[in-house]
Amino acid sequence: MLYLIGLGLGDEKDISLRGLEAVKRCENVYLEAYTSILLVEKSKLEALYGREVIVADREMVEQGVESILEQAKTMEVAFLVVGDPFGATTHSDLQMRAKQLGVTVKVIHNASIMNAIGACGLQLYRFGETISIPFFTDTWRPDSFYDKIKKNRDMGLHTLCLLDIRVKEPCFEALARGKKVYEPPRYMSVNTAVEQLLDIEDRRKEGVYGRETTAVGVARIGTDSQCIISGTLEELLTVDYGPPLHSLVVPGELHVMEQELLATFACNESTPRIQKDLIIDEEDEEP
Amino acid sequence: MLYLIGLGLGDEKDISLRGLEAVKRCENVYLEAYTSILLVEKSKLEALYGREVIVADREMVEQGVESILEQAKTMEVAFLVVGDPFGATTHSDLQMRAKQLGVTVKVIHNASIMNAIGACGLQLYRFGETISIPFFTDTWRPDSFYDKIKKNRDMGLHTLCLLDIRVKEPCFEALARGKKVYEPPRYMSVNTAVEQLLDIEDRRKEGVYGRETTAVGVARIGTDSQCIISGTLEELLTVDYGPPLHSLVVPGELHVMEQELLATFACNESTPRIQKDLIIDEEDEEP
């Protein structure tokens, strides 16, 4: 039996009673740690579960998943996922491979950014396609998501922008010297996302949005330190949202109640701001 | 302090540890019971919480919410919501009224149909606008959601269809006789939803979908008895999905992995079917 268990958005206390019962029954417990990050130490999970928690990084899941599935044929195995198990394509894939091997899969759902984003005051049913914004590099500045924002906005729909997470990425310079070294983890900030979006608009000039467009920057949704700030893209550039994870919403048409709710999160004098010269560096911020 | 606490999708064990801690701290505990239904007895919640649970029906929330907010000015009050607190517009409204009265609101998220629908094998980020399908009456057969399905499908996006729930609706015949009597609760089945969708296509004839279009009928997602069946709309008409709550997905373009996952849920000889003459009556089925 393979349990896919959502941990929710914050710390060890966001697991459901059902999830906790299951994980306590399992002989082996894996924690998926590359499509999202847990905002709590692994040791706290272990103390709560009374079980060792094995961190499953990208390599392990991509190369070693067969051994996890093999175990699940005869044992109860838990695969813990931050948020909900179906927030990332990987876990649908894992479920399918389990089914193919005749392993029973039981999913225990939880909150994920895909529904908790409702906390920002925009109605969930009025969101269109969700996009992912990857870190630009010197030579790679993709903009296909610009078209998706355009289509959503043409339909009056909101766009949830999931921001890039780079965990345990191999360092190519070190690889070239024959060493396996990993880059420090990087989590895209709302600031970087907005910069990149404005960069694309400057290139494409199709007027999908601009510096005066209202948007919502959010961080650590569902936790005690959650941060929700609405303002123009220009304003959102200057805000200090604090530690990861960050997400951004580019709204479509706003209904009256949505306007009123967004206004309660409006950027103002008491909003924490970042120093301008930090904006350039925050891509390297650590968790 | 007002806690808006998501209960998740199944029974009393789907609350998070964080949510349970909060509800145990609260002096008054309300359960919202008209935008969704709990699949478990209220007494089980009360046994788990060690608290009386007051059922807040539509009338109470629409007319009596001020008294709940008044309590929350000086006490810890819990407002429990099936799924996630932001699944329904009502709760955003409640949050805003609380803010206006200076009541601190703390939200404890949970799974809702909006993210748990990922269990059907379709990727969440590829869903477009969510629609709601209301019960047709003899004189009222709205079809504005047909245009939304069209737009989503034109963009290759999936459409989650939330199906009508009628709880504690006043009986107009009785009202006319001066009595306040309520209609029995009604929960739209996938079968009725598909019938209504096909009825609209027959009228509108814009070829947005047809009897051969692949779709997915789901029931009781996130519970032990969850049912996920993929098939043509024609096939889905014949399936017995069991008790509420039901939802329907009309997919857009299917990626390879989505096709493979949907295939694992395909309607076949072992799928439970309903008797044809029951199809007409299932609108009246009881919870």
Side-chain angles (χ1 to χ4, degrees), chain B residues 217-277:
Chain B
V218 305
R220 302 173 308 287
I221 282 286
T223 73
D224 285 338
S225 72
Q226 85 176 9
C227 167
I228 304 176
I229 307 285
S230 70
T232 64
L233 287 175
E234 182 95 56
E235 282 174 322
L236 293 187
L237 268 182
T238 68
V239 174
D240 182 356
Y241 305 86
L245 293 175
H246 293 190
S247 303
L248 175 71
V249 182
V250 182
E253 279 164 33
L254 293 171
H255 288 179
V256 174
M257 195 176 66
E258 291 178 317
Q259 279 173 8
E260 289 176 358
L261 279 161
L262 274 197
T264 68
F265 299 116
C267 189
N268 58 34
E269 302 77 39
S270 63
T271 305
R273 308 294 175 134
I274 52 172
Q275 290 169 10
K276 185 64 190 137
D277 56 339

Side-chain angles (χ1 to χ4, degrees), chain B residues 144-156:
Chain B
S144 58
F145 48 83
Y146 180 84
D147 302 294
K148 293 181 178 173
I149 300 176
K150 180 176 194 321
K151 284 182 183 169
N152 284 340
R153 282 173 66 90
D154 284 349
M155 289 170 67

Side-chain angles (χ1 to χ4, degrees), chain A residues 53-68:
Chain A
V53 171
I54 305 157
V55 172
D57 60 21
R58 183 186 295 266
E59 278 173 32
M60 184 173 204
V61 176
E62 286 177 358
Q63 294 161 27
V65 72
E66 305 305 339
S67 88
I68 297 177

Side-chain angles (χ1 to χ4, degrees), chain A residues 11 13-15 17-18 89 92 96 99 106 110 112 115 123 125 130 155 224 257 260 264, chain B residues 11 13-15 17-18 89 92 96 99 106 110 112 115 123 125 129-130 155 224 257 260 264:
Chain A
D11 61 25
K13 289 187 180 170
D14 289 305
I15 195 170
L17 304 188
R18 181 189 302 280
T89 319
S92 303
M96 196 164 59
K99 279 188 174 184
K106 203 166 150 52
N110 210 319
S112 66
N115 68 342
Q123 296 301 308
Y125 66 93
T130 299
M155 288 169 66
D224 285 338
M257 194 174 68
E260 290 176 358
T264 67
Chain B
D11 61 27
K13 289 187 180 169
D14 288 305
I15 196 171
L17 303 189
R18 180 189 303 280
T89 318
S92 304
M96 196 163 60
K99 279 189 175 185
K106 204 165 150 52
N110 210 319
S112 65
N115 69 343
Q123 297 300 308
Y125 67 92
E129 186 170 5
T130 299
M155 289 170 67
D224 285 338
M257 195 176 66
E260 289 176 358
T264 68

Side-chain angles (χ1 to χ4, degrees), chain B residues 9-219:
Chain B
L9 294 161
D11 61 27
E12 74 281 7
K13 289 187 180 169
D14 288 305
I15 196 171
S16 65
L17 303 189
R18 180 189 303 280
L20 184 61
E21 279 183 7
V23 74
K24 282 187 169 178
R25 261 203 312 274
C26 287
E27 291 173 78
N28 286 341
V29 179
Y30 296 91
L31 169 66
E32 187 274 305
Y34 66 94
T35 64
S36 188
I37 51 158
L38 193 67
L39 300 173
V40 64
E41 297 294 313
K42 187 183 80 157
S43 58
K44 286 206 175 169
L45 297 186
E46 292 180 327
L48 178 64
Y49 305 157
R51 287 276 177 286
E52 186 198 356
V53 171
I54 305 156
V55 173
D57 58 24
R58 180 186 299 265
E59 278 173 32
M60 184 174 207
V61 176
E62 287 177 358
Q63 295 162 26
V65 74
E66 305 305 338
S67 87
I68 298 178
L69 294 176
E70 204 54 47
Q71 291 165 12
K73 280 187 183 173
T74 53
M75 297 192 287
E76 297 201 291
V77 175
F79 194 81
L80 309 178
V81 177
V82 178
D84 184 73
F86 295 116
T89 318
T90 334
H91 310 132
S92 304
D93 188 50
L94 180 63
Q95 187 189 26
M96 196 163 60
R97 289 165 77 177
K99 279 189 175 185
Q100 287 163 349
L101 291 172
V103 173
T104 309
V105 178
K106 204 165 150 52
V107 175
I108 299 177
H109 291 283
N110 210 319
S112 65
I113 187 69
M114 302 295 282
N115 69 343
I117 192 64
C120 80
L122 300 172
Q123 297 300 308
L124 287 181
Y125 67 92
R126 301 194 58 244
F127 277 75
E129 186 170 5
T130 299
I131 65 165
S132 294
I133 303 183
F135 278 116
F136 282 179
T137 68
D138 291 342
T139 53
W140 189 65
R141 295 192 301 165
D143 62 7
S144 58
F145 48 83
Y146 180 84
D147 302 294
K148 293 181 178 173
I149 300 176
K150 180 176 194 321
K151 284 182 183 169
N152 284 340
R153 282 173 66 90
D154 284 349
M155 289 170 67
L157 301 179
H158 314 318
T159 307
L160 170 61
C161 311
L162 302 176
L163 308 187
D164 205 356
I165 295 176
R166 296 286 171 101
V167 182
K168 217 170 174 188
E169 296 278 323
C171 169
F172 289 109
E173 276 183 33
L175 264 185
R177 292 196 306 271
K179 286 187 196 166
K180 199 146 192 180
V181 175
Y182 298 98
E183 301 279 0
R186 295 167 79 202
Y187 306 95
M188 188 183 286
S189 65
V190 170
N191 316 75
T192 300
V194 170
E195 273 186 8
Q196 293 192 181
L197 283 180
L198 291 174
D199 176 87
I200 297 173
E201 179 60 56
D202 288 345
R203 280 187 274 149
R204 297 275 300 260
K205 292 188 175 47
E206 296 173 35
V208 172
Y209 50 79
R211 285 164 197 281
E212 294 309 310
T213 300
T214 296
V216 194
V218 305

